[in-house]
Amino acid sequence: MHATKEQLDAQAQVLLQQYRESELKARERAQIPLQEMPTQQPQERVHNMQEVALGYSENQVRVEAMRCLQCKNKPCIAGCPVAIDIPAFIAEAAQGNFTKSVEIIKESSLLPSICGRVCPQESQCQKFCTVGKMHKDVDQSVSIGRIERYVADYAREHGTETVPAVKSATGRKVAIVGTGPASISAAADLRREGHQVVMFEALHKAGGVLVYGIPEFRLPKKIVEHELDNLASMGVVIKRNYLVGKTRKISDLMEKDGFDAVFVGSGAGLPKFMGIEGENYIGVFSANEYLTRSNLMKAYAVGESLTPLFDSHKVAVFGGGNVAMDAARTAKRLGAEQVTIVYRRTEVEMPARKEEVAHAKEEGIEFLFLHAPLKITADEKGRVNGVQLITCELGESDASGRRSPVEIPGSEQMHAYDTVIIAIGNDSNPLIKATTDGIEVNRRGNFIVNEETCETTLKGVYAGGDIVLGAATVILAMGQGRKAAKAMHAYLMNL
């Protein structure tokens, strides 16, 4: 059993009375125990879609913020793609100045509530934390993301946020394709400079991967909606059900509709498949489709939503990243009795966040390591009834630095499953390239851009996020959106 939110708060209160923030020396700060994130109990949360992590209490966030050494060289900032002044916002949080804390964050990042929840801090800012290095354990670093989440939630819930100021109108007009994290960052920065900004969203709901890809139990959709409302308050126009490339081409936007520049943040929404026998049988889903049906179309709300729910009992999920964890944990909540993540390597090589793997295990998700699928089988009606798996062993390291899985001949075996979810990654959305002359892409279909400006091979057209990087993190996409916006502003002011 996890400690309850109340128990963790009480422990933090004792620590808060024990330590005086202004009197602490570096060694004393490093000895303050890491504050555990309170969560819903596993046996409860597998039956609902509510957020698993409950967030720090005020006492907890202040104690955790006291652990920060306030290093003069600020090594944590080097790991942040948008260069937030991390020590400064943590210092304010330690004093209980939560509104001031979030104001510091928002100088660099418009989405702290989101990034605090879904960014892999352990491989970014927290990786460089001096406290973690003192303990020789990155998991003992200051919990930067959890503090960020708390202060952002505090400002939203207490109505202390301020809408970013917008400079006087420049007369320039910018189109933003997509409404995911890269596009949100670009839109906010361009609007701040006084440009007219219109965002185009292909779906009926804005937010991109934040709404269709990440489950409610990791990122509540009301938070994404709130951030989009902030954009609207700044004067950004969002047009939904508008598929650039079909409804209108890039050339139409620039030559006929009067847009002076375009930012493309259309993401990596094209699912990858494995090319094995049986991928077209009934009961085989890409993780994209499976998660979209649940997250965006609310398949889990039986009786309220018209989206049909596939009746699954034994589910196999192929992949080892965060999307595989999301799909597996969603399947469990949708009623599957047994859910197994099948991964070709060992747990050590899994790219998923440790926290997500731990949560999946707590929820009863099973893991089958060093196995790879060879074919999917079906009954006479074409419905999945099994998967043939082969055992693997690890060979030499590949280009990613991980040891390559090597299949062991003769180790093939059938396993009974009625549902298969393929979560091995996505390719870039091909629509813009297919309908736009002059845009160059690499062999993976990612847009080729200038690394300094994010400008594509087509003048006045910029791009960022997954359409450039492939499937990346929210904060990396935001970093590209900001970089592009800076270059676009310079371009627009020189027209």
Side-chain angles (χ1 to χ4, degrees):
M1 287 282 286
H2 291 272
T4 65
K5 189 170 177 110
E6 292 72 24
Q7 288 168 333
L8 292 169
D9 179 58
Q11 291 166 13
Q13 190 170 16
V14 171
L15 290 168
L16 207 56
Q17 292 165 351
Q18 180 181 340
Y19 296 109
R20 287 288 173 268
E21 208 278 333
S22 59
E23 300 167 7
L24 288 173
K25 295 183 173 61
R27 189 163 294 280
E28 292 171 320
R29 289 179 186 276
Q31 295 308 313
I32 298 173
L34 177 84
Q35 294 300 291
E36 182 185 328
M37 173 63 88
T39 61
Q40 277 197 75
Q41 297 297 336
Q43 67 273 19
E44 295 172 6
R45 68 191 194 225
V46 293
H47 299 294
N48 66 58
M49 283 287 175
Q50 292 158 21
E51 193 169 13
V52 168
L54 301 174
Y56 278 162
S57 66
E58 180 175 338
N59 289 324
Q60 277 192 292
V61 80
R62 292 189 63 187
V63 170
E64 187 61 30
M66 283 182 188
R67 299 180 69 235
C68 177
L69 305 183
Q70 293 296 315
C71 309
K72 287 189 170 61
N73 60 344
K74 304 180 180 183
C76 49
I77 297 179
C80 177
V82 295
I84 294 167
D85 190 343
I86 294 166
F89 93 73
I90 290 180
E92 296 295 344
Q95 297 288 342
N97 302 329
F98 304 128
T99 299
K100 176 63 177 173
S101 179
V102 81
E103 284 173 1
I104 293 168
I105 298 171
K106 287 205 168 187
E107 289 170 9
S108 306
S109 169
L110 195 71
L111 307 175
S113 286
I114 293 169
C115 292
R117 284 169 165 82
V118 303
C119 280
Q121 289 93 8
E122 63 278 5
S123 61
Q124 294 180 160
C125 51
Q126 290 172 203
K127 179 180 178 181
F128 299 95
C129 174
T130 307
V131 175
K133 290 185 175 175
M134 288 171 74
H135 287 282
K136 297 182 172 62
D137 183 0
V138 70
D139 294 335
Q140 287 295 315
S141 295
V142 176
S143 299
I144 297 166
R146 294 173 179 178
I147 299 169
E148 178 183 29
R149 167 188 165 147
Y150 179 89
V151 298
D153 287 356
Y154 177 92
R156 184 182 69 255
E157 291 162 6
H158 289 78
T160 61
E161 289 178 306
T162 53
V163 175
V166 174
K167 295 179 182 176
S168 55
T170 63
R172 304 294 184 216
K173 192 175 172 186
V174 182
I176 308 274
V177 182
T179 57
S183 297
I184 290 171
S185 283
D189 283 2
L190 287 162
R191 183 67 192 129
R192 278 173 175 157
E193 295 293 351
H195 306 300
Q196 185 182 345
V197 178
V198 181
M199 303 179 83
F200 297 97
E201 170 54 54
L203 299 174
H204 64 283
K205 205 162 190 177
V209 71
L210 301 173
V211 294
Y212 75 74
I214 303 176
E216 182 79 12
F217 57 79
R218 274 216 298 140
L219 177 62
K221 300 302 165 272
K222 66 178 183 181
I223 291 171
V224 182
E225 288 168 11
H226 178 81
E227 302 298 2
L228 290 164
D229 287 344
N230 283 343
L231 277 183
S233 299
M234 293 170 67
V236 173
V237 175
I238 301 176
K239 294 191 175 183
R240 297 165 177 81
N241 299 307
Y242 198 111
L243 183 58
V244 174
K246 288 289 184 185
T247 311
R248 211 84 166 124
K249 295 178 182 178
I250 295 270
S251 55
D252 294 329
L253 294 175
M254 299 187 80
E255 294 165 16
K256 298 177 183 177
D257 300 342
F259 286 98
D260 300 296
V262 176
F263 175 82
V264 181
S266 52
L270 185 67
K272 288 181 184 175
F273 287 90
M274 298 174 295
I276 62 173
E277 184 183 333
E279 285 187 301
N280 289 323
Y281 285 136
I282 299 164
V284 180
F285 297 87
S286 70
N288 255 29
E289 179 189 356
Y290 195 82
L291 290 169
T292 299
R293 281 173 173 271
S294 177
N295 299 337
L296 191 65
M297 300 163 72
K298 296 187 167 38
Y300 61 83
V302 178
E304 297 174 30
S305 168
L306 296 176
T307 306
L309 174 65
F310 191 79
D311 186 24
S312 300
H313 300 276
K314 295 185 75 174
V315 179
V317 180
F318 302 150
N322 289 328
V323 175
M325 300 304 134
D326 287 344
R329 296 171 68 196
T330 296
K332 191 78 172 177
R333 284 162 171 77
L334 295 183
E337 290 107 42
Q338 181 185 339
V339 182
T340 306
I341 289 176
V342 180
Y343 184 56
R344 302 181 303 160
R345 296 179 170 94
T346 73
E347 184 170 350
V348 174
E349 288 80 28
M350 286 181 83
R353 296 184 70 188
K354 272 199 254 183
E355 183 177 65
E356 301 309 320
V357 175
H359 283 166
K361 288 180 177 177
E362 289 172 359
E363 293 165 11
I365 306 300
E366 298 173 12
F367 288 78
L368 187 57
F369 296 112
L370 291 170
H371 279 75
L374 294 180
K375 69 175 180 180
I376 302 165
T377 61
D379 61 19
E380 64 280 359
K381 294 181 179 177
R383 295 176 69 96
V384 172
N385 64 7
V387 177
Q388 185 183 49
L389 300 175
I390 189 166
T391 307
C392 302
E393 59 185 357
L394 293 182
E396 297 301 314
S397 297
D398 63 12
S400 72
R402 296 177 297 172
R403 292 174 66 190
S404 298
V406 178
E407 296 177 356
I408 301 172
S411 63
E412 300 90 341
Q413 199 170 351
M414 287 302 302
H415 295 254
Y417 295 109
D418 58 36
T419 307
V420 168
I421 303 172
I422 300 167
I424 60 169
N426 294 309
D427 286 324
S428 296
N429 189 319
L431 183 60
I432 303 289
K433 162 61 182 168
T435 58
T436 310
D437 293 330
I439 293 267
E440 289 185 21
V441 299
N442 63 20
R443 60 186 178 81
R444 292 192 182 92
N446 301 336
F447 282 22
I448 295 170
V449 299
N450 179 305
E451 285 190 15
E452 296 302 314
T453 65
C454 291
E455 187 171 21
T456 68
T457 50
L458 194 60
K459 191 166 181 61
V461 178
Y462 298 72
D466 288 358
I467 192 73
V468 173
L469 300 169
T473 63
V474 169
I475 194 77
L476 280 171
M478 289 173 61
Q480 283 215 309
R482 296 208 76 197
K483 186 191 289 185
K486 184 178 179 182
M488 291 173 77
H489 172 61
Y491 168 79
L492 290 164
M493 298 312 287
N494 283 317
L495 287 178

